[in-house]
Amino acid sequence: YVGVISSEGLNDDQIKSGLKFLSEMLYQHYDKKKVWILIDEYDAVANVAYRKFNADDLDKTIELFTGIYQNALKGNPCLEKGVLTGVQYIARSGMLSGLNNLGKFNFTDAKYAQYYGLDQGEVDLFFGHFQVPKPLGDKAKSWYNGYQVQKYNGNSVTSSQELVSKYNIWSIVSYLKRGEFSHFKSHWEESGNIDFLGELLSKPKVREKVEELIDGRCISFDRKDDFSSNDFNQLKNMISGSKEITSDGLAVLFSYLFIGGYLTIDGPIQNAYRLPNMEIMYEMGKRLIKHYQHICTIDPAKIQSATYVLQDIMSTPHRERMQEHFKNFYDRFKEVICTVRLVDDKNAEGVFANEDIVHSLLNYIALQTQHTTLGSELYTTKLHSKQKGRADIKITNKDVGVIMEIKCLPVSHRSDNHMKEALEQAMSYGNLLDTNKNLFIAINVERGTRTSEERSIEFLCASFMSDGQHVFGINASGDYDTFGVNNSIMKGFTEHVK
């Protein structure tokens, strides 16, 4: 067969039979050898259609692709096998109705999970070939690894339910292809799969869950592995509607995010999910900050200015300049936080004041610093204690370690020792640091309905450097203040850090 077919002259029946026609041509050309048909992203059109098309256009789209798949894959005498790959199995959509002997294998199936992503051994081979320095390879792991799957051992899952961690293939290939091994960035930026999340962040229940994820915590929901047309309609109505989202709606939303690669299971805990790595944390944080910028008019330049100062703190850990950098960071961060209207009453106009808001802003600032590793809500045993706790934020590079403890106290709840106690709490997580130069920082942002000019912010820092330990802070008036923490008290603190 030789000829040219113009797509402009094709009718729907010709489009529907196009793949089958091609298989017949291949069958004839290769001496009647049956054909394999591989269809990648088979669900992409339906995914968009269900979320964005009106009912009439949706029906036409589903009817067209149902015809394409049925003609090519059902009763085709030239077909050996058909393989369809995609993000979602869309149940009861009609597109795959009537196909014979249809098998479904996904990322959560232990037997087939080994064929998804890249494991550490495979990535190590790539890093060796491209000569990626080990410290940068370790940081790449925090950015692009973290997808947890069950380990497959022969004919069954191991009795211990052991998990293995997988890398995102696209992200690793993109990272190596760029060749800038010291520069880490998100490679999901051109993906529009969750652009709608920005609209849903106006819903308190969604925003609270996203803030928990960015803070390094887990969330729980009953995951849906197969999406139906009803699930898509529910997601569409959530995006466009003004009603509060139900628990079933939350399950649909976060199941969609899980299927899309934005969440991973959290160990053996049933129905517990978290963000897999820094890359996804950056993507989620970017959308959350954009939401706050929209409702609170946060200037992105102020966020960037605070990032630059934090970068200076991490790269210039000397006593002579540390206090100067610390005051500069206080000033820049205050410019950011004072544009947010924090309130005590959830029903009042503004953003409900809690540590998650401040935490999310600091996480986003820290994520943009170069040559550092970020940890959030790290669960550990406190120093010289059997008590468990979570360190709010940990930032490290090869020389400097930082632990931040965040408070959001109204004036009426403050005590004479509230900053000292917050600093002691930060220092109780000193076992998380293995760096030579360490900073423990307590931050308190006043909760309440005061104007941005009146809102108070307090910082207190204990530094442990090669030239000794020092404490410095800044009170609500912007003046230097150690909040009663002197050298004798610092000696007691030192015992906790050692």
Side-chain angles (χ1 to χ4, degrees):
Y1 175 85
V2 179
V4 177
I5 299 176
S6 171
S7 61
E8 295 178 358
L10 294 177
N11 57 40
D12 281 1
D13 288 339
Q14 289 173 310
I15 294 173
K16 291 176 184 177
S17 62
L19 270 180
K20 181 181 181 183
F21 175 72
L22 178 60
S23 70
E24 292 170 345
M25 294 299 99
L26 291 170
Y27 177 77
Q28 293 294 335
H29 182 76
Y30 288 100
D31 298 324
K32 298 186 177 182
K33 186 174 183 178
K34 289 192 174 183
V35 176
W36 282 66
I37 295 180
L38 310 179
I39 303 175
D40 189 24
E41 296 190 10
Y42 89 94
D43 59 326
V45 172
N47 193 319
V48 174
Y50 273 116
R51 290 193 292 111
K52 297 185 177 181
F53 290 5
N54 60 41
D56 186 48
D57 288 341
L58 171 62
D59 289 344
K60 290 179 180 177
T61 302
I62 296 302
E63 192 268 338
L64 176 65
F65 278 85
T66 298
I68 293 173
Y69 295 147
Q70 286 192 357
N71 276 311
L73 304 175
K74 181 180 179 181
N76 182 355
C78 303
L79 179 69
E80 176 68 23
K81 285 185 182 295
V83 178
L84 294 84
T85 62
V87 174
Q88 293 167 312
Y89 175 73
I90 305 176
R92 299 187 294 278
S93 67
M95 287 199 311
L96 304 180
S97 62
L99 297 187
N100 299 324
N101 303 317
L102 186 66
K104 179 169 65 76
F105 313 102
N106 63 33
F107 192 71
T108 59
D109 187 318
K111 183 176 181 180
Y112 291 92
Q114 59 185 312
Y115 304 114
Y116 290 86
L118 297 171
D119 61 31
Q120 189 62 55
E122 292 168 325
V123 171
D124 286 343
L125 290 175
F126 280 120
F127 285 177
H129 177 78
F130 287 93
Q131 298 182 335
V132 178
K134 187 178 184 308
L136 297 180
D138 291 341
K139 186 170 182 182
K141 181 177 181 179
S142 69
W143 267 83
Y144 307 123
N145 195 10
Y147 292 94
Q148 302 292 306
V149 299
Q150 288 182 306
K151 183 177 181 180
Y152 184 69
N153 184 18
N155 295 320
S156 63
V157 179
T158 55
S159 58
S160 64
Q161 297 291 291
E162 183 181 355
L163 298 175
V164 293
S165 191
K166 294 279 191 169
Y167 283 81
N168 180 314
I169 295 178
W170 170 253
S171 298
I172 283 295
V173 169
S174 300
Y175 169 70
L176 294 172
K177 184 178 179 180
R178 284 190 301 110
E180 301 173 14
F181 301 141
S182 63
H183 179 58
F184 298 89
K185 59 172 287 187
S186 169
H187 299 285
W188 293 62
E189 292 176 349
E190 297 180 4
S191 170
N193 289 343
I194 62 166
D195 283 347
F196 65 84
L197 184 61
E199 300 174 54
L200 288 175
L201 288 173
S202 61
K203 315 287 187 182
K205 289 183 180 179
V206 174
R207 188 172 62 251
E208 288 169 10
K209 292 288 187 183
V210 171
E211 286 174 347
E212 288 177 22
L213 288 168
I214 292 174
D215 287 347
R217 287 177 276 172
C218 297
I219 63 171
S220 298
F221 57 90
D222 294 325
R223 191 180 79 231
K224 297 173 178 285
D225 287 325
D226 299 337
F227 261 55
S228 68
S229 57
N230 289 335
D231 293 325
F232 274 108
N233 286 332
Q234 186 173 10
L235 184 61
K236 184 176 181 179
N237 291 334
M238 284 191 292
I239 296 169
S240 59
S242 58
K243 293 183 179 180
E244 187 52 73
I245 295 176
T246 64
S247 58
D248 186 59
L250 288 174
V252 169
L253 170 62
F254 287 103
S255 295
Y256 186 91
L257 294 177
F258 175 83
I259 293 170
Y262 292 89
L263 296 174
T264 187
I265 58 176
D266 184 58
I269 304 174
Q270 187 174 12
N271 292 336
Y273 303 88
R274 60 175 175 79
L275 301 184
N277 51 43
M278 301 279 284
E279 182 179 36
I280 302 301
M281 184 180 289
Y282 174 83
E283 283 298 311
M284 290 288 196
K286 181 172 64 176
R287 286 166 172 79
L288 186 62
I289 291 297
K290 187 175 181 180
H291 167 73
Y292 285 135
Q293 288 172 347
H294 175 69
I295 65 172
C296 308
T297 62
I298 299 176
D299 185 351
K302 292 179 179 178
I303 293 279
Q304 193 62 56
S305 179
T307 299
Y308 289 149
V309 179
L310 182 59
Q311 186 76 59
D312 287 339
I313 291 174
M314 299 297 295
S315 59
T316 316
H318 302 296
R319 180 187 178 188
E320 294 77 16
R321 301 198 62 191
M322 183 59 66
Q323 190 162 323
E324 173 190 342
H325 287 320
F326 191 73
K327 177 63 164 67
N328 199 8
F329 184 68
Y330 171 92
D331 291 337
R332 300 290 80 76
F333 183 69
K334 186 171 183 178
E335 288 179 355
V336 172
I337 201 66
C338 283
T339 61
V340 182
R341 180 170 168 75
L342 300 180
V343 298
D344 286 321
D345 183 358
K346 286 186 178 180
N347 297 318
E349 183 181 355
V351 181
F352 181 60
N354 57 34
E355 293 171 22
D356 289 343
I357 302 296
V358 183
H359 201 155
S360 296
L361 289 169
L362 283 167
N363 269 340
Y364 189 71
I365 290 169
L367 268 172
Q368 298 181 88
T369 58
Q370 294 296 308
H371 312 298
T372 61
T373 300
L374 172 68
S376 184
E377 288 288 330
L378 301 174
Y379 190 64
T380 187
T381 302
K382 296 183 178 182
L383 284 173
H384 305 296
S385 169
K386 294 182 179 179
Q387 292 182 330
K388 297 283 188 178
R390 294 184 185 273
D392 284 343
I393 294 177
K394 169 192 169 186
I395 313 168
T396 58
N397 60 23
K398 62 185 181 67
D399 296 317
V400 182
V402 176
I403 298 288
M404 291 185 182
E405 178 65 27
I406 302 164
K407 301 296 181 184
C408 199
L409 300 174
V411 174
S412 59
H413 290 186
R414 295 180 188 174
S415 67
D416 293 337
N417 295 319
H418 69 284
M419 291 302 289
K420 174 177 175 288
E421 292 168 356
L423 183 63
E424 288 178 321
Q425 189 169 345
M427 297 182 69
S428 70
Y429 301 117
N431 59 311
L432 293 172
L433 301 178
D434 57 5
T435 42
N436 297 322
K437 302 171 183 179
N438 298 322
L439 297 170
F440 299 90
I441 302 174
I443 300 174
N444 180 51
V445 176
E446 179 187 351
R447 178 190 298 181
T449 56
R450 296 156 67 94
T451 66
S452 60
E453 292 78 12
E454 294 174 317
R455 183 176 303 127
S456 66
I457 298 177
E458 300 167 306
F459 275 29
L460 181 60
C461 176
S463 70
F464 295 83
M465 303 291 175
S466 56
D467 59 348
Q469 63 264 11
H470 312 281
V471 62
F472 43 87
I474 304 168
N475 61 29
S477 300
D479 299 323
Y480 289 113
D481 191 340
T482 62
F483 297 91
V485 179
N486 53 36
N487 289 335
S488 61
I489 296 176
M490 283 290 290
K491 290 180 181 179
F493 285 173
T494 304
E495 297 302 317
H496 288 285
V497 178
K498 288 182 177 179

